[in-house]
DNA sequence: CAGGATGTTGGGTC
DNA sequence: CGACCCAACATCCT
């Protein structure tokens, strides 16, 4: 699941569920996914604190109120949150629980990519996330132009690069390129930046409403996984190849190089 | 059984 | 240094 819209959905959930409440307990069910600290240290740092969830790209940053610390979460490919009775039996893939009274925010992650970290300040936070470009939903058209200006190589690889722009993943990038009619291998310098920006905004705005890249009619994402996958615009057979290391779907008719 | 899955990193190569 | 490629990570599903 987790690309920018999914993680924004998780951020909203966390906000809605925990707003005004203080962490009472921390339960680390998967010691290995706590990547840089100990359960005791996390417990000590979070106990009695309120959390303010922020998002940068695909990273969820749970800021600890009245402290400089942050609980950092990455959802990998299979992460999500649940909000359960604290005394219910955790799911097999629940890796972390934050209790708030009789309820518990649970971080679940089946494949165990990603994980969670404790950052004591923003310097540590940057070491954890690595270099990130600005959030894809926060930039304006001029920002995008400046970011892409020095970049060369394929359009897909450029948009996927979190150091350049944070938050766009495989489905989003394919969706944006398909809507903008840009071949994923097209040199980024030959892409109409204005059109790319407008398309990115639309795809992000609509995806944010669904809190995911919606696999619905009229979207590439709604077509790409079917057996005889066809372009929702022109009905050509979609192509699939590995580009920039990921399975890429595009329409050979709409998206010329 | 083989292959693939919405993510990131680290190692090479050119 | 930048761009590209690949393998690896862990687990489940088709």
């Amino acid at each position: 699941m987790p690309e920018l819209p999914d993680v924004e959905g998780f951020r909203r959930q966390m906000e809605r569920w925990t707003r005004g409440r203080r962490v009472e307990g921390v339960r680390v069910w998967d010691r290995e996914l706590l990547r840089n600290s100990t359960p005791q240290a996390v417990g000590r740092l979070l106990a009695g604190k309120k959390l303010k969830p922020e998002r940068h790209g695909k990273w969820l940053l749970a800021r600890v109120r009245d402290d400089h610390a942050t609980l950092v979460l990455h959802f990998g490919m299979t992460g999500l949150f649940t909000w359960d009775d604290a005394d219910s039996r955790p799911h097999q893939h629940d890796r972390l629980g934050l209790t708030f009274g009789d309820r518990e925010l649970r971080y679940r992650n089946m494949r165990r990519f990603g994980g969670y970290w404790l950052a004591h300040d923003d310097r540590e936070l940057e070491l954890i996330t690595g270099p990130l470009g600005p959030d894809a939903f926060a930039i304006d058209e001029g920002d995008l132009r400046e970011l892409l200006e020095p970049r060369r190589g394929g359009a897909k690889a450029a948009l996927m690069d979190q150091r350049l722009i944070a938050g766009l993943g495989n489905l989003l990038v394919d969706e944006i390129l398909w809507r903008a009619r840009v071949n994923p291998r097209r040199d980024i310098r030959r892409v109409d930046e204005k059109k790319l920006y407008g398309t990115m905004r639309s795809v992000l705005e609509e995806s944010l409403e669904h809190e995911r890249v919606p696999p619905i009619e009229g979207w590439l994402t709604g077509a790409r996984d079917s057996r005889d996958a066809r372009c929702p615009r022109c009905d050509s057979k979609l192509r699939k190849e590995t580009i920039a290391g990921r399975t890429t779907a595009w329409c050979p008719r709409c998206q010329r190089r």
Side-chain angles (χ1 to χ4, degrees):
Chain A
M1 293 186 122
E3 300 184 48
L4 188 157
D6 309 82
V7 180
E8 177 59 19
F10 302 149
R11 193 200 66 73
R12 292 172 187 168
Q13 287 180 320
M14 184 171 183
E15 175 108 72
R16 184 165 8 107
W17 292 333
T18 75
R19 185 171 37 214
R21 314 174 75 146
R22 291 175 194 281
V23 177
E24 283 169 38
V26 174
R27 300 203 282 174
V28 173
W29 291 305
D30 188 332
R31 192 41 256 274
E32 247 187 86
L33 282 203
L34 173 55
R35 305 287 189 181
N36 73 337
S37 186
T38 64
Q40 294 73 27
V42 179
R44 244 180 288 128
L45 207 100
L46 296 191
K49 296 288 185 23
K50 294 179 183 175
L51 299 177
K52 179 176 163 47
E54 298 175 1
R55 184 190 56 72
H56 186 160
K58 304 172 193 173
W59 292 87
L60 185 67
L61 313 174
R63 303 285 193 174
V64 179
R65 282 265 304 265
D66 306 319
D67 200 317
H68 298 290
T70 304
L71 178 67
V72 182
L73 296 108
H74 197 287
F75 294 85
M77 291 173 84
T78 56
L80 51 85
F81 278 146
T82 66
W83 181 244
D84 291 314
D85 284 332
D87 57 8
S88 66
R89 195 172 61 78
H91 182 277
Q92 182 188 359
H93 301 131
D94 287 344
R95 314 294 180 183
L96 170 70
L98 304 179
T99 56
F100 298 81
D102 60 353
R103 302 290 285 171
E104 186 166 49
L105 180 72
R106 292 176 176 169
Y107 165 82
R108 184 179 299 176
N109 190 332
M110 186 267 278
R111 264 173 86 186
R112 303 176 77 231
F113 290 178
Y116 47 102
W117 294 253
L118 196 57
H120 293 90
D121 53 41
D122 284 0
R123 187 192 56 83
E124 262 187 40
L125 177 59
E126 283 179 34
L127 293 176
I128 292 162
T129 65
L132 288 180
D135 188 81
F137 195 61
I139 60 176
D140 64 26
E141 195 190 305
D143 296 331
L144 183 65
R145 191 186 327 113
E146 286 172 26
L147 287 164
L148 293 182
E149 201 275 320
R151 180 81 184 202
R152 37 187 225 82
K156 168 129 183 176
L159 296 182
M160 291 278 294
D161 189 344
Q162 303 298 298
R163 295 169 304 181
L164 206 65
I165 306 169
L168 306 181
N170 197 40
L171 293 184
L172 270 173
V173 169
D174 281 4
E175 195 71 47
I176 292 165
L177 294 178
W178 174 75
R179 265 213 225 179
R181 300 175 185 256
V182 172
N183 185 287
R185 288 198 173 91
R186 177 126 122 224
D187 190 313
I188 192 66
R189 292 173 294 189
R190 294 189 44 247
V191 172
D192 178 345
E193 174 276 317
K194 238 179 148 108
K195 184 174 181 189
L196 182 65
Y197 180 77
T199 307
M200 181 183 80
R201 286 301 294 186
S202 308
V203 169
L204 282 176
E205 278 164 19
E206 292 173 54
S207 297
L208 281 164
E209 284 174 30
H210 295 262
E211 299 184 350
R212 65 185 299 188
V213 189
I216 57 181
E217 206 182 317
W219 286 58
L220 179 70
T221 305
R224 61 182 296 159
D225 290 334
S226 45
R227 22 73 240 166
D228 191 39
R230 290 182 173 277
C231 174
R233 241 181 344 233
C234 76
D235 206 44
S236 299
K237 185 149 172 48
L238 293 177
R239 293 200 54 178
K240 274 188 199 170
E241 277 174 38
T242 297
I243 299 175
R246 312 301 305 280
T247 298
T248 303
W250 79 97
C251 172
R253 182 152 178 255
C254 298
Q255 297 167 265
R256 312 266 189 188
R257 235 171 135 174

